[in-house]
């Protein structure tokens, strides 16, 4: 077994409590991801303040962040038949650090994403536009996997972060759909197809709402410019 395997196996305190004293490398890696989350959150907070100077409101409604739990990391590695090593985590799981940006309007999503990706120290690894191309169930959001440097005491480390950008309506739908999907009784429910159809209808309604609200903003901005 490689050193990394040993490190990883012993990371998982919930699964291997006897080895918890060797959890340090895993904890250190998680701390780096936490630092990366802070860096990305700050970048968005700066953009929010700067973009609000030229208009009368802020493009960002709220920011949520999360660090993937050891149980989820372990489960994802197993599902993908990947070795239980720190290298496997860093090289294959790009959603350990997650930053979710909730915007007022769809066009704010693209303005913010473009502004972020123009920054010298941000590298785009992957972009999935589920707003232009919603998932079959109706899910909408813009997903970016980016790589950014974190500046530590004696080194600079490149870290990957998943950024999800959504409107309030997209977030409202995704949060409820997530809760309903994980209800244990749902999968075997004979109404599953009907429930899925209704959820998709709700997603379409939320998209209409987004476009409508954006039109209203356009009208208000137009009236102000006259
Ligand atoms: P959590 O707890 O939010 O982190 P991958 O995760 O990379 O193996 P995939 O499908 O390639 O799988 O990733 P993708 O499409 O970028 O989506 C990953 C994340 O987007 C999910 O993370 C959710 O946060 C969100 N998401 C994607 N599809 C849906 C959906 O249909 N409904 C809802 N509510 N959220 C979705 P996690 O790890 O599943 O959950």
């Amino acid at each position: 077994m490689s050193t990394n395997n040993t490190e990883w196996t012993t990371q998982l305190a919930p699964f291997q409590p006897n080895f918890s004293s060797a959890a340090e490398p895993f904890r250190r890696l998680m701390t780096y991801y936490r630092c990366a989350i802070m860096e990305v959150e700050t970048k968005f907070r700066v953009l929010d303040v700067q973009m609000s100077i030229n208009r009368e409101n802020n493009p960002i409604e709220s920011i949520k962040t999360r660090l993937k739990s050891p149980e989820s990391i372990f489960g994802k590695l197993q599902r993908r038949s990947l070795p239980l090593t720190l290298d496997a985590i860093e090289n294959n799981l790009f959603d350990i650090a997650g930053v979710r940006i909730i915007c007022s309007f769809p066009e704010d999503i693209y303005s913010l994403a473009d502004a972020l990706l123009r920054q010298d120290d941000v590298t785009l690894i992957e972009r999935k536009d589920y707003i232009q191309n919603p998932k079959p169930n109706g899910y909408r959001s813009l997903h970016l996997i980016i790589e950014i440097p974190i500046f530590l005491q004696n080194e600079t480390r490149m870290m990957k972060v998943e950024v999800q950008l959504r409107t309030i309506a997209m977030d409202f739908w995704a949060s409820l759909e997530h809760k309903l999907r994980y209800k244990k009784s749902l999968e075997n429910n004979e109404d599953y197809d009907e429930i899925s159809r209704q959820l998709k209808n709700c997603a379409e309604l939320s998209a209409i709402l987004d476009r409508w609200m954006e039109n209203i903003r356009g009208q208000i901005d137009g009236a102000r410019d006259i």
Side-chain angles (χ1 to χ4, degrees), residues 72-189:
S72 299
I73 294 171
F74 181 74
K76 198 161 181 176
L77 287 174
Q78 281 198 318
R79 279 198 302 283
R80 294 196 183 174
S81 305
L82 289 164
L84 307 184
T85 64
L86 297 184
D87 280 349
I89 295 176
E90 280 208 89
N91 297 330
N92 298 283
L93 306 190
F94 299 162
D95 65 342
I96 306 292
V99 176
R100 188 172 283 165
I101 309 296
I102 319 295
C103 299
S104 316
F105 301 100
E107 65 183 29
D108 295 332
I109 290 175
Y110 294 103
S111 306
L112 283 163
D114 290 348
L116 177 78
L117 295 175
R118 274 197 298 272
Q119 297 183 8
D120 293 341
D121 58 350
V122 176
T123 304
L124 177 66
I125 306 293
E126 188 178 85
R127 182 180 192 274
K128 290 188 200 164
D129 191 341
Y130 296 124
I131 301 173
Q132 292 299 315
N133 305 296
K135 284 196 168 183
N137 64 356
Y139 175 79
R140 296 180 305 134
S141 284
L142 177 66
H143 290 194
L144 307 174
I145 305 290
I146 57 167
E147 192 170 59
I148 51 140
I150 56 166
F151 302 98
L152 303 166
Q153 192 177 6
N154 297 315
E155 61 172 327
T156 301
R157 277 187 72 106
M158 300 306 291
M159 304 299 299
K160 295 193 179 62
V161 177
E162 183 187 66
V163 180
Q164 298 181 350
L165 297 113
R166 317 171 157 172
T167 60
I168 305 168
M170 293 173 200
D171 189 52
F172 170 66
W173 183 91
S175 302
L176 295 189
E177 190 266 357
H178 189 267
K179 271 188 204 149
L180 292 172
R181 191 154 38 96
Y182 286 102
K183 275 201 184 300
K184 282 203 176 74
S185 55
L186 192 61
E187 253 172 41
N188 302 322
N189 191 315

